[in-house]
Amino acid sequence: MASQIGEKTILRARGVSKHYGGVVALEAVDLDLREGEVLAVVGDNGAGKSTLIKALTGAIPKTSGTIEMDGQEVQINSPTDAKAAGIETVYQDLALVNELSISKNMFLGREIVRDDILGRLFGTLDFGQMDSEIRALFQKLDIRIADIYREAEAFSGGQRQAVALAKTVMFGKRIAILDEPTAALGVRESKMAMDLVRSLKDHGLSVIMITHNMQHVMNYCDRVMVLRLGRLAAVRDVKDVDGDTLVGLITGATEDKAA
Amino acid sequence: MTSATQPTANSDERVKEISSFRNALIRPELGGIVGTIAVFTFFLLFAFDSGMFNSQGIMNWSQISAQFMIIAVGACLLMIAGEFDLSVGSMIGFAGMLIAIFSVTLGWPVWLAIIVTFVIAVSIGALNGFIVVRTGLPSFIVTLAFLFILRGFAIYLPQTIERKTIIGGVSDVAEGDWLAAMFGGKIFTGFFQWMGDNGIIAVFERGTRKGQPVVEGLPMLIVWAIGLVIVGHIILTKTKFGNWIFAAGGDSEAARNSGVPVNKVKILMFMFTAFCATVLAVCQVMEFGSAGADRGLLKEFEAIIAVVIGGALLTGGYGSVIGAALGALIFGVVQQGLFFAGVESSLFRVFLGLILLGAVILNTYIRRIITGER
C-alpha cells in the first residue's frame, strides 16, 4: 500500500493556530498530506482535531498559519475557497439532503443540464446522462445502491456515507476531509465505508480523516498525526506504530519529540 | 429501477423491497388524486341535476378552483423550499388596491398600473424573503407581520385617498387596454360560439344576447392557473432550479455544503409567491371592475391547505405542484358543489378542517412508507 503513495506533498499547512480570546484551541500545528495517502488525525476530546479541520477548510478563520497546495500558497478563508481549491469536507450528517433521491443528491449543486436550447435557457436536466454516470461510478467504487431514485433517507448510514464519498470522487476533488466517517455506523457498515475510503486513492484522492477508532487507523491509514491539547504531539507512519503507543501518545503517557 | 448493473445489490441492502404497486402509491399526489375522485363521485351522485355539471356550472367551479390554484402554485413551491407566506391574502387585497389607485385615482394607463403593482408586490416578496434568510426567524412570524402590514395599507390607502374601502370604475379605464385584457379577458370565444351553435353548450333563448352561448369563452383567470401549474411543475421536476428548491427545503445545510445558493432560492420563491398573489389580484380587479380592501381574506390559509392536501410536507423538501393543483380543484368543486347541492355554505369550513386533517394524516402515513417505516 505504502508504495502507492507519491512522495509529493499535496497539502502543506504551517503554524496553524486558533485562539478564542485567551483560550488556545490550536497552537502552531503543521500538517503535510502526501498525494494518495490516508492521513489519520487522532486525539482526545478537545485536542483540536475539529478546529484543525475547520481552520483548513475555512469554516472558521484561523488566527495564524499558512496553507500551500502543490507548493503554492493558497488563501482559504471560506468553505467556498476550499471547494474551489479541490478540498471537500464530508460531514456525517450534512452531506446529503435526505428528502432528495440518491441520483439528485449526487449531482446537487452541479447538475448536468441538457445540451440544447432548453438546457441553456431554463436549466432543464439531462437525467439520462447523470444517471448513467452515477451507475458507472457506483459500479467502479463497488457501492451497492439498488434504486438510485429512492430518497436518501431510505438508506442506511453506511450507504449514505458511501454516496457522500462517491460525490467527492465524481467532482474530481483532490482532497477529501472526513470527520469521523464511521461514528454512527455498525461494524459491517464501518468496514464497507473504510474499504471505500481506502479505494479513494485509486481515484486520485488524498484523504484526511478524523477518527477515534485505533483499529481503523492501523488497518486503513498510511500515516497518523496525534493532537494533544491543541498541539501536534506526534506524526508517525502507521507501520511504525502500534495501538498501545498511539493511545499513549493521545493521553500524553508517551512523549514523542520526533514530530 | 432494478439493479441491472449490480446483480448482488439486493442481498446487501437494508432497504426493504416494496412492490411496484405500493411504489406507485407513495407519491405526493396520492391524497389529491383520491380526494378529487371522491369529491367528483360525491357531487355527480348527489348534485348532478342541480346544474353543477352544465356549461355554466362547470365554468363556475372551474373559476373558483383556478383562483385557489394560482396562489397554491406559489405557496407550494415556497413550502417545498421550506418556508411559508402568510401574507398572500393581504397581498391580494393590497395589490388590487394599488392597481385601482394608480389607474382610477391617479389616472395612469392601466398597463402601467399593473406593471408598477407587480414590481411593488414582488419587491415586498423579496423583502419578506430577505428578512427571513437574514434573521433566521421563522417565516411564519415574518410573514404574519406582513399579513397585518399589507392588510392595514389595503384599508388605509383607499380610506385616506377616496374616503371609501372599495374603489370602482376600473372596468371603464381598462377598456381596450392590452395588458388588462391578459388578465380580465376571455379566449376561444369563437370556439365557445361554435359549441353553442352546435348544441354542445347552452345558448341564451331570448333577450339581447339571443343565440350567444351562456359561457362566452375561457376566462384568462383559468388560463393563468393552468399556465402557472404547468410552468411550476416543469420547473420543479425538470430543472436544476427545481432540484435546488427541494434541497433548500429538505436540508438547507446539506444543500449549502453541496453548493446550492439556498438564500437566493428562498428569496426567489417568496418573490414568486407574491407574483402569484398579484396575478390573482389583477384578475379579480379586472373581473369585478373594482378593488376592495377585504379581498383575499384568509386566502393564505386556503392556499396552504390546498398545498398540504396536494401532499407537500409542512417541513419542506417534499411536495408536488400537480398535487397542489388537485387540492385547489377539490376546494373549488366542494365550495361551489355545496352551494349547488343546497347545503348551508358555512359547512364548507367544516369540510375544510376535516379534509385538512385527513390529508395530513394520509401524508404522514405515506412518508413512513417512503422512509422505510421508521
Side-chain angles (χ1 to χ4, degrees):
Chain A
M1 289 278 186
S3 60
Q4 294 178 19
I5 303 166
E7 287 308 303
K8 205 170 139 244
T9 300
I10 178 168
L11 181 81
R12 171 177 288 134
R14 284 290 171 267
V16 179
S17 299
K18 176 66 191 175
H19 299 175
Y20 291 101
V23 181
V24 178
L26 206 60
E27 183 62 36
V29 171
D30 297 342
L31 178 148
D32 291 284
L33 180 66
R34 296 180 196 151
E35 192 147 44
E37 78 170 341
V38 180
L39 172 68
V41 177
V42 299
D44 216 338
N45 290 336
K49 305 184 296 290
S50 294
T51 311
L52 174 64
I53 295 313
K54 284 180 183 159
L56 286 180
T57 56
I60 54 171
K62 52 188 181 298
T63 308
S64 61
T66 58
I67 299 173
E68 286 174 18
M69 279 188 77
D70 305 317
Q72 298 285 316
E73 182 163 349
V74 287
Q75 295 298 327
I76 294 180
N77 298 318
S78 73
T80 317
D81 290 346
K83 276 182 207 295
I87 303 173
E88 188 80 27
T89 315
V90 181
Y91 295 100
Q92 176 76 30
D93 289 322
L94 294 177
L96 302 183
V97 177
N98 281 335
E99 286 81 356
L100 287 187
S101 68
I102 294 295
S103 80
K104 285 187 172 176
N105 259 301
M106 280 297 290
F107 278 94
L108 184 60
R110 306 162 177 107
E111 290 85 351
I112 299 179
V113 297
R114 281 162 48 159
D115 187 22
D116 56 17
I117 186 93
L118 285 175
R120 272 192 292 276
L121 281 181
F122 306 110
T124 44
L125 298 168
D126 189 340
F127 292 107
Q129 177 69 24
M130 290 194 284
D131 291 350
S132 63
E133 282 192 27
I134 292 167
R135 286 182 202 287
L137 182 69
F138 280 6
Q139 188 153 32
K140 207 162 75 176
L141 296 176
D142 195 23
I143 294 173
R144 291 163 185 186
I145 302 279
D147 184 355
I148 61 172
Y149 303 108
R150 285 202 76 183
E151 284 81 356
E153 64 194 322
F155 293 92
S156 69
Q159 287 169 321
R160 288 203 299 242
Q161 189 74 40
V163 172
L165 290 174
K167 238 179 124 166
T168 63
V169 176
M170 174 155 275
F171 296 109
K173 296 296 180 184
R174 304 186 58 202
I175 299 173
I177 297 181
L178 314 180
D179 192 357
E180 300 201 40
T182 60
L185 305 185
V187 175
R188 197 174 56 89
E189 295 240 288
S190 291
K191 184 177 181 316
M192 190 178 103
M194 291 310 301
D195 284 339
L196 182 57
V197 168
R198 198 65 229 173
S199 72
L200 290 181
K201 69 166 66 172
D202 300 332
H203 302 280
L205 270 160
S206 314
V207 179
I208 300 175
M209 182 178 92
I210 294 184
T211 182
H212 280 292
N213 189 320
M214 293 309 133
Q215 198 99 50
H216 290 167
V217 174
M218 303 310 295
N219 292 346
Y220 295 98
C221 299
D222 300 299
R223 290 190 309 138
V224 51
M225 59 186 284
V226 183
L227 291 177
R228 189 167 69 242
L229 303 174
R231 287 164 195 277
L232 187 60
V235 181
R236 295 286 185 84
D237 277 351
V238 165
K239 60 180 189 297
D240 301 334
V241 73
D242 59 47
D244 287 340
T245 318
L246 266 184
V247 173
L249 287 165
I250 289 168
T251 57
T254 314
E255 287 296 330
D256 183 293
K257 289 297 163 198
Chain B
M1 275 54 70
T2 50
S3 49
T5 51
Q6 298 158 15
T8 57
N10 290 338
S11 62
D12 189 270
E13 288 265 350
R14 189 187 281 183
V15 177
K16 274 207 301 199
E17 280 303 300
I18 45 178
S19 73
S20 51
F21 174 68
R22 259 181 117 193
N23 220 344
L25 278 184
I26 52 171
R27 301 179 55 81
E29 297 91 353
L30 176 65
I33 293 169
V34 171
T36 305
I37 293 171
V39 159
F40 271 100
T41 310
F42 180 84
F43 284 109
L44 280 170
L45 287 176
F46 294 101
F48 187 75
D49 297 330
S50 64
M52 185 177 169
F53 294 98
N54 66 26
S55 56
Q56 264 177 308
I58 291 173
M59 193 51 72
N60 178 297
W61 52 256
S62 297
Q63 288 208 51
I64 301 293
S65 300
Q67 293 185 10
F68 288 126
M69 242 175 244
I70 288 171
I71 48 174
V73 173
C76 178
L77 294 186
L78 184 64
M79 194 184 289
I80 295 173
E83 306 292 343
F84 287 109
D85 189 348
L86 295 184
S87 67
V88 167
S90 300
M91 180 63 88
I92 293 168
F94 177 72
M97 199 49 79
L98 286 187
I99 291 166
I101 289 172
F102 290 152
S103 61
V104 177
T105 310
L106 300 181
W108 295 4
V110 175
W111 60 267
L112 182 65
I114 293 174
I115 291 172
V116 172
T117 300
F118 266 107
V119 171
I120 294 173
V122 170
S123 307
I124 293 171
L127 180 63
N128 259 332
F130 182 77
I131 295 174
V132 168
V133 299
R134 258 307 154 90
T135 60
L137 288 170
S139 50
F140 173 80
I141 292 298
V142 174
T143 58
L144 184 63
F146 275 91
L147 181 156
F148 284 98
I149 293 169
L150 294 178
R151 182 63 70 194
F153 275 122
I155 300 169
Y156 170 81
L157 291 177
Q159 274 197 325
T160 315
I161 299 169
E162 296 255 355
R163 303 210 161 277
K164 51 190 178 187
T165 52
I166 296 178
I167 297 182
V170 184
S171 312
D172 302 335
V173 293
E175 192 69 46
D177 187 275
W178 62 274
L179 193 54
M182 289 184 64
F183 293 90
K186 290 187 167 72
I187 59 168
F188 301 139
T189 47
F191 176 64
F192 278 78
Q193 180 67 54
W194 176 85
M195 286 203 293
D197 294 344
N198 288 276
I200 299 170
I201 60 175
V203 293
F204 288 106
E205 299 293 339
R206 57 178 75 84
T208 51
R209 295 173 67 189
K210 186 171 187 305
Q212 291 179 10
V214 290
V215 176
E216 359 164 22
L218 190 64
M220 285 307 292
L221 175 77
I222 295 178
V223 176
W224 272 101
I226 295 170
L228 283 170
V229 168
I230 293 172
V231 169
H233 177 70
I234 290 175
I235 288 177
L236 195 60
T237 56
K238 303 278 182 250
T239 71
K240 180 161 88 171
F241 195 75
N243 263 6
W244 293 359
I245 294 173
F246 277 114
D251 185 338
S252 54
E253 276 311 302
R256 277 197 191 93
N257 280 341
S258 302
V260 175
V262 172
N263 290 352
K264 196 172 121 189
V265 170
K266 290 194 172 186
I267 291 174
L268 276 170
M269 286 303 102
F270 274 104
M271 293 165 73
F272 181 65
T273 307
F275 174 83
C276 290
T278 311
V279 168
L280 179 56
V282 182
C283 286
Q284 281 192 340
V285 169
M286 293 309 151
E287 193 192 335
F288 298 136
S290 68
D294 64 343
R295 291 270 164 77
L297 212 58
L298 288 180
K299 281 278 183 264
E300 55 280 332
F301 293 107
E302 293 170 356
I304 290 172
I305 296 173
V307 173
V308 171
I309 293 173
L313 270 192
L314 288 161
T315 46
Y318 186 78
S320 144
V321 172
I322 299 294
L326 290 175
L329 181 63
I330 292 172
F331 257 43
V333 170
V334 173
Q335 185 177 328
Q336 296 313 102
L338 291 178
F339 168 75
F340 277 106
V343 177
E344 171 61 37
S345 65
S346 50
L347 284 179
F348 175 60
R349 311 232 159 144
V350 176
F351 160 81
L352 266 193
L354 290 178
I355 198 169
L356 175 63
L357 210 52
V360 174
I361 292 169
L362 177 67
N363 289 347
T364 313
Y365 175 70
I366 294 173
R367 287 299 295 171
R368 286 221 187 103
I369 298 177
I370 291 175
T371 58
E373 282 168 279
R374 280 198 297 222

